[in-house]
Amino acid sequence: MMACLLEAPLRISVLSEVTATSRHYVDRLFDPDPQNVLQGVIDMKNAVIGNNKQKANLIVLGAVPRLLYLLQQSSSSLELRTECAVVLGSLAMGTENNIKSLVDCHIIPALLQGLLCSDLIFIEACLRCLRTVFISPVTPVQLLYTDPTVIPHLMSLLSRSRHTKEYITQIFAHCCKTPEHQTVLFNHSAIQNIAPLLISPSDKVRMQALKCFSVLAYENTQVSMTLVNVLVDGEQLSQVFVRMMQRDKPIEMQLTAAKCLTYMCRAGAIRTDDNCIILKTLPCLVRMCSKERLLEERVEGAETLAYLMEPDVELQRIASFTDHLVSMLADYFKYPSSVSAITDIKRLDHDLKHAHELRQAAFKLYASLGSNDEDIRKKITETENMMDRIVSGLSESSIKVRLAAVRCLHSLSRSVQQLRTSFHDHAVWKPLMKLLQNAPDEVLVMASSTLCNLLLEFSPSKEPILDSGVIELLCSLTQSDSPALRVNGIWALMNMAFQADQKVKVEIVRALGTEQLFRLLSDPDTNVLMKTLGLLRNLLSTRPHIDQIMSSHGKQIMQAVTLILEGEHSIEVKEQTLCILANIADGNTAKELIMTNDDMLQKIKYYMGHSNVKLQLAATFCISNLIWNEEDDSP
Amino acid sequence: MSGPSSGCGFLMSVVVHGDLALNEQEKDLNQRLRRLYPAVNEEETPLPRSWSPKDKFSYIGLSQNNLRVHYKGHGKTPKDAASVRATHPIPAACGVYYFEVKIISKGRDGYVKYMGIGLSAQGVNMNRLPGWDKHSYGYHGDDGHSFCSSGTGQPYGPTFTTGDVIGCCVNLINNTCFYTKNGHSLGIAFTDLPPNLYPTVGLQTPGEVVDANFGQHPFVFDIEDYMREWRTKIQAQIDRFPIGEREGEWQAMIQKMVASYLVHHSYCATAEVFAKSTDQAVHEELASIKNRQKIQKLVLSGRMGEAIETTQQLYPSLLELNPDLLFMLKVRQFIEMVNGTDSEVRCLGGRSPKSQDSYPGSPRLFNSPVHKASSSQTYQTGFDSNYCNGVSSSKGHTLAHSHKSCPRTMPSPELGVLNGSRGQQTNVGAEVEMEVDHFSNGVSESSSNGFLNGSSTHGIDLEECDGDMEVDSAQSKRQLCGGSQAAIERMIQFGRELQSMSEHLRRERGKNSANKKMLKDAFSLLAYSDPWISPVGYQLDSIRREPVCSTLNSAILETHNLPKQPPLALAVGQAAQCLSLMARTGSGSCAFASVDDYLH
């Protein structure tokens, strides 16, 4: 106790001592003699370098507004203004809190204003500080775009020196986060200005310029289309990127160049069968997934590769046999490894931090790999513990992992064979159902879409899912605001109703309610309408079912059919509706609903003479069912 | 080194064929192989260039320069399998080795398309597909499995068929192998491979045809990019190699090596400055260094007579104890006489007035002015002026030195320019005599030696400069012994002396084929009207003085119990030797660690 009592005042005195020296630095900024002020700023600079405590002290003591004032005063000497920018840059190098304080003091507009000065040294100091502020995650990037004159001015400064090149490209690379940002930069000739920097003698400049192109081209057709036609020193840009992917180049450069080409390819600017994609970008990204790479690089590599080959089955096939990619990805699930837990606490921490990212990246890549080819899906499901990993991924705490796992499951659920075997063996429907209970929309879309496949007639999971009370859940999905969820809900019901028991059908109709059914039939989304008609068609199959449902809901259904046949709908919709009519005609008692409806018979007649063959056929099918029934009834 | 000779062989065989296209292909092949595998010494370990007509099963037919393989057996059962190996095993010095096989035809329908591409050791049964036996490895087209010395395969890659190009890459650094299909890497297939494997292909279906590409054509897979990665890895390993535990130890060792190198080659001024700035002791007397330097200069300027005299003077017993060395020097002297550069014929030819002034052709010269040296007065003046020169030029000296790429010429011409007055040259000549005496007297009180350096080399250097120029002009005229009849006579007389010396040596010490050849080659010069363009004319090249010079230098150092090779050269030699040893013992990383990469 005594010791504590003695220690406490001691600490305070040390602290006050520190604050006193810091106070002294700040006081000197207010000296009437400009020469003393300059010396004060220089001393401050030397005092804060590498000293986070000192930085925090000075910020608390209000050095920042004064430094900014001095920096902005045109009466200050250039030397003083430059030193102020340097000190501010040094303060920005500290903690995130420092950056927040600087941004709160409006450092960004002040420094941007400073760029209008003609002195290069001062400009460079301002840019260095701006760079440090902008690359911090706590700085709102929008601040770069508030004043529309800033971007063109930065473009004009770009080629001034090695440092302006480096800092400005670094700022752009970090502050281009939305399509709007891309457009602003593009409109101010970012491509023409930055392209020559790709062959700069400075490694840093080359790297930052490359990063700019990767953020500019991401999901941007306009930029991508422009990029393919750019020449750098007589060479096509894509070839410059290919050279940057050479295996002796720094990994960061290889990876970023591969991203650029990936984005250009996805935007349609480069064909997927171009050698620079098939023989260079794809193998480069596969290499990034290897065990030799850092965890961060493996995450980015896998995500980029997944994105590159998503729409192209040939790329998926090539990737599936390149460098054992499928089994290489299995390693992504082994973090934190049991070894790291014992040996190295630092590594454990590092592994833990990246474990989720690794898992979700692997799931994404598996999803992309298996989205088209049955053989690849088989290869994936045969990977060690694959289904178990997906099952546990579906219930992970990280939303990103859950989403990726369900994407992967969805991709694999397109395989009839897998639905029949591994999906059932591992009872994937259980975690999937759980996931559907309470999840954000993007997860729900994927999960319900997967559920659609699991409810297909030949899926052995269909029965247990039915028993788990899925119908209510699917009906509630059909009331969602999201068209994708409505489609999936009704789609799943449609699949469920296919060749189902009377009991199930009745339950569907009951749970959905005719009101909701009619609402869905007038849904603005054609997909929803089509699947709802499909559901009706599946409900109205086999004679007893038809008669049973029509006896209880005949009136409403006939109304709906009339409505659709009279409305402005596509051929497909009308065809599907006529098919429903044909099914109704197949019923024993149900057919009377048509036979007694003159208007309906007229409509069928009309469609028999329709110019579209599909509609003609469907209408004829209707008539045939009506007649066949009659024959059957009169022995 | 091996490239050109093997290239020659190819060109000759091409001439026999008289096929121009083939000629081009061979050229391409040689060029590509040299670029891919620069570390391979093909005299020791030739690279595979085709399939071996001798090392194959009888069901295998070869065509198209032994690059195309076709199957001509029944193909009914696995007993009908047949393989062929390449002409040579893969040398370890490749580091990374690669070849490709293109499937021209998958064979007749109705058969399972057994086809294996891979590697096997010498002696492995050829009536089998690669991979089925011990020391045999293969990737099979019918099922895409890899076979690692076993009859049962492991799932490995996709299947392959007509039109596909399958590549096989052996990494001799980590002893692994991966395959490629149409330019896409399929990942590691085998690990822990044994050394000396041959590219191998095996077929088992009638009508199967495959073509090999051992470098005749560009590869579909970018193997050079893969090699770049490994080169970077190996070089990073070297760069990061942990050195010396204690701080500064490594640096001190390097400084020592540099200093000893400078001393060895008698760069006295540089050596001294270097030693001083790195705080080291020089282990040889400066005077001694300078003596060696002087002798080396004489040898390198082709003035062998003087070099021999000086050597005898300064190291009296050296040549007596080394008659073979003396003989070599004399043979060189004879060659220099033919060249017209040796001082004995130069004075007769009347083409070197300056050296005539300083060295009036008489070897006695060095002995005569002994008493003069004791005259401190003359000495002092000479010394003073040189001292001044030395001081004023010492900076220029080292500076100039660093510009020189060729270590044999000291930068004395600059010194002469610094002196400014041409008239001084004769003075300098006189001083040389004195200093030579000074050294021959064995006075070793050269305390302020750094500056003596400048002065001692001074006279000789100036003349050497002149001498070199005259050599050039003499060569452009190219007259025997510089064109003087007297000189020719002297040369012939000298030749006779040399002949009798040779006979004497043989009687005394028995036959020595090296000596015999040396003499024969030298005398052969006289068989041609223009020795310079004769087949033996290379002997006249001044570059031939260098081995003589270094042998003599080493011999002198040995008598002083100093290493006959500087540690630096020794280390470089050892490193190079180490690399070739690695190549022989199968360590592939030698491919990406050329010593030359580290010598700039």
Side-chain angles (χ1 to χ4, degrees), chain A residues 247-248 278 280 322-324, chain B residues 184-185 188 222 225-226 229:
Chain A
R247 292 179 173 210
D248 53 350
I278 219 160
K280 297 292 174 190
T322 298
D323 286 340
H324 307 299
Chain B
H184 299 284
S185 162
I188 302 279
D222 192 349
D225 200 28
Y226 180 74
E229 183 179 332

Side-chain angles (χ1 to χ4, degrees), chain B residues 283-302:
Chain B
H283 295 294
E284 191 185 355
E285 295 288 354
L286 231 93
S288 155
I289 300 174
K290 267 172 272 170
N291 287 342
R292 288 190 291 109
Q293 186 184 42
K294 178 162 40 185
I295 292 164
Q296 287 181 68
K297 277 176 202 305
L298 288 169
V299 174
L300 291 174
S301 59

